[in-house]
């Protein structure tokens, strides 16, 4: 595929820098966002504004979507004026949102009826890697479709992992965020304990860094939590959504996730306490009011 025209739907925290990187390397880009004002930064770097998902899909070779959750991608793709209404035979829909494998399969089935192809391609990495083009992209779908789209995905991510058929990228992403949710909640609990027994959190971070389970996560998110900086990179409401999707997936394959279920409850309570728009690390500020 030489210089394909790309459509990008969903210009939130992640979609905006990902789309900007595509424009910067010269792909012709048509963008659409439900809240129209969010297209402005993309227009300034050379993208054009689309009129809606169906019109965007009708004008491009590859449609990329980066929205919140299953019901949202279903509205964008399957709803009135959705991608399926406009998508052309031979083109590709790449859904990069974190959704369930079942949702990915539903979307794939719908675009296939229009002789188009589908990839689920959720990402690991937050606003920083999205801006730097260093995301890890987990792909489900046909290898031939992935190879067609690799030059586009390579602009947004430094590592592209083919997980298997449609839905397997989504499954791999949920398994990845399972560990991230545990890490966020576990570190929040440990930090509270450390502080309340009178230890210096910096000493605690030193120990973690010297251990076999050291991670760059402590140097970014961990230090942010010590400083109580809950600026949103990955919204707590989205982590809660991912935990719900993990539970549903586990139930489909008859697998018990008791610890993950407890973590889900914590995120549910934090969101109910009004912390959904903050970063998921704000689980700390919920826990510190529990006794
Ligand atoms: P976000 O900032 O909340 O943006 C969500 C985007 O989806 C917005 O453009 C929003 O439009 C659009 N949207 C939501 N519902 C819609 C609907 N019904 N119809 C049309 N558009 C709709 O989220 P984000 O942080 O960019 O995350 C996007 C996806 O990537 C999520 O699935 C998330 O779990 C996943 N993810 C996020 C991160 C991260 O660190 N942030 C990392 C990896 C994966 P409006 O502007 O109109 O609201």
């Amino acid at each position: 595929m030489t210089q394909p025209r790309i459509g990008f739907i969903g210009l939130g925290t992640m979609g905006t820098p990902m789309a900007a990187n595509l424009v910067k390397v010269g792909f012709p880009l048509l963008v659409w966002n439900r809240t129209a004002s969010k297209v402005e930064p993309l227009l300034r770097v050379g993208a054009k504004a689309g009129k809606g998902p169906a019109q965007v899909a009708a004008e491009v070779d590859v449609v990329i979507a980066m929205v919140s959750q299953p019901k949202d991608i279903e509205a964008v793709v399957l709803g009135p004026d959705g991608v399926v209404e406009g998508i052309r035979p031979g083109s590709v829909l790449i859904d990069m949102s974190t959704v369930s494998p079942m949702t990915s399969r539903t979307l794939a089935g719908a675009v296939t009826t229009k002789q188009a192809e589908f990839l689920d391609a959720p990402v690991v990495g937050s606003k920083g890697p999205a801006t730097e083009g260093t995301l890890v992209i987990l792909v489900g779908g046909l290898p031939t479709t992935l190879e067609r789209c690799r030059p586009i995905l390579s602009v947004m991510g430094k590592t592209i992992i083919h997980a298997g058929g449609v839905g397997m990228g989504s499954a791999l992403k949920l398994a990845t965020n399972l560990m991230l949710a545990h890490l966020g909640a576990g570190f929040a609990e440990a930090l509270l304990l450390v502080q309340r027994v009178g230890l210096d959190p910096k000493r605690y971070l030193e120990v973690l860094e010297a251990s076999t389970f050291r991670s760059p996560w402590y140097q970014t998110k961990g230090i942010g939590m010590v400083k109580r900086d809950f600026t949103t990179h990955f919204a707590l409401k989205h982590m809660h959504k991912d935990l719900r999707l993990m539970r549903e997936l586990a139930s489909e394959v008859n697998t018990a996730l008791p610890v993950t279920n407890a973590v889900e409850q914590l995120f549910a309570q934090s969101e109910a306490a009004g912390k959904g728009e903050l970063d998921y690390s704000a689980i700390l500020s919920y826990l510190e009011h529990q006794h």
Side-chain angles (χ1 to χ4, degrees):
M1 206 189 278
T2 54
Q3 203 64 337
R5 291 163 298 167
I6 302 174
F8 205 109
I9 294 170
L11 302 169
T13 304
M14 297 295 282
T16 296
M18 290 162 71
N21 284 337
L22 292 170
V23 156
K24 283 179 198 158
V25 298
F27 283 113
L29 192 76
L30 196 56
V31 293
W32 181 81
N33 192 69
R34 179 179 60 180
T35 305
S37 58
K38 290 193 193 167
V39 305
E40 293 301 329
L42 272 302
L43 302 188
R44 283 198 290 275
V45 292
K48 294 204 162 33
K51 295 186 177 66
Q55 182 262 342
V56 168
E59 302 277 326
V60 301
D61 304 297
V62 175
V63 186
I64 299 174
M66 189 55 163
V67 298
S68 301
Q69 55 172 311
K71 70 177 174 51
D72 303 314
I73 189 68
E74 284 169 7
V76 160
V77 175
L78 311 174
D81 192 33
V83 167
V84 168
E85 279 186 20
I87 200 162
R88 295 177 304 124
S91 57
V92 184
L93 169 63
I94 309 176
D95 180 26
M96 304 190 78
S97 327
T98 304
V99 297
S100 62
M102 193 186 286
T103 300
S104 301
R105 289 193 287 268
T106 301
L107 301 174
V111 300
T112 305
T113 63
K114 303 292 289 282
Q115 289 79 49
E117 297 173 37
F118 178 84
L119 294 177
D120 43 303
V123 303
V124 180
S126 195
K127 201 172 165 180
T131 306
E132 292 151 13
T134 57
L135 293 164
V136 179
I137 305 179
L138 314 178
V139 181
L142 289 174
T144 47
T145 313
L146 169 56
E147 290 318 312
R148 278 181 70 190
C149 296
R150 191 180 287 277
I152 298 168
L153 296 174
S154 301
V155 172
M156 296 181 280
K158 71 169 189 322
T159 308
I160 298 169
I161 294 172
H162 187 212
V166 167
M168 295 307 268
S170 294
L172 190 54
K173 169 63 186 174
L174 292 178
T176 305
N177 269 23
L178 184 154
M179 289 303 297
L180 189 64
H182 286 215
L183 184 58
F187 184 74
E189 286 192 353
L191 197 56
L192 281 177
L193 187 64
V194 158
Q195 287 168 331
R196 287 181 184 168
V197 298
L199 285 162
D200 181 347
K202 291 197 189 75
R203 293 290 87 73
Y204 182 56
L205 281 170
E206 270 175 38
V207 175
L208 297 176
E209 281 301 305
S211 72
T212 53
F213 51 94
R214 66 183 165 274
S215 161
W217 186 91
Y218 299 113
Q219 289 304 321
T220 52
K221 198 64 75 184
I223 287 178
M225 287 168 78
V226 171
K227 293 179 178 162
R228 302 184 54 75
D229 176 1
F230 305 128
T231 308
T232 308
H233 289 252
F234 177 38
L236 189 144
K237 67 179 179 185
H238 290 329
M239 181 63 98
H240 178 207
K241 170 263 299 182
D242 290 353
L243 284 154
R244 173 175 61 80
L245 298 178
M246 286 166 217
R247 173 169 44 79
E248 291 170 0
L249 181 61
S251 161
E252 277 172 40
V253 292
N254 207 15
T255 300
L257 301 179
V259 180
T260 306
N261 292 345
V263 173
E264 182 192 359
Q265 284 309 308
L266 278 180
F267 277 92
Q269 288 157 9
S270 304
E271 187 173 357
K275 300 189 187 293
E277 301 298 331
L278 294 174
D279 194 75
Y280 75 98
S281 54
I283 189 88
L284 174 66
S285 70
Y286 171 74
L287 279 170
E288 66 194 0
H289 294 111
Q290 308 306 304
H291 298 286

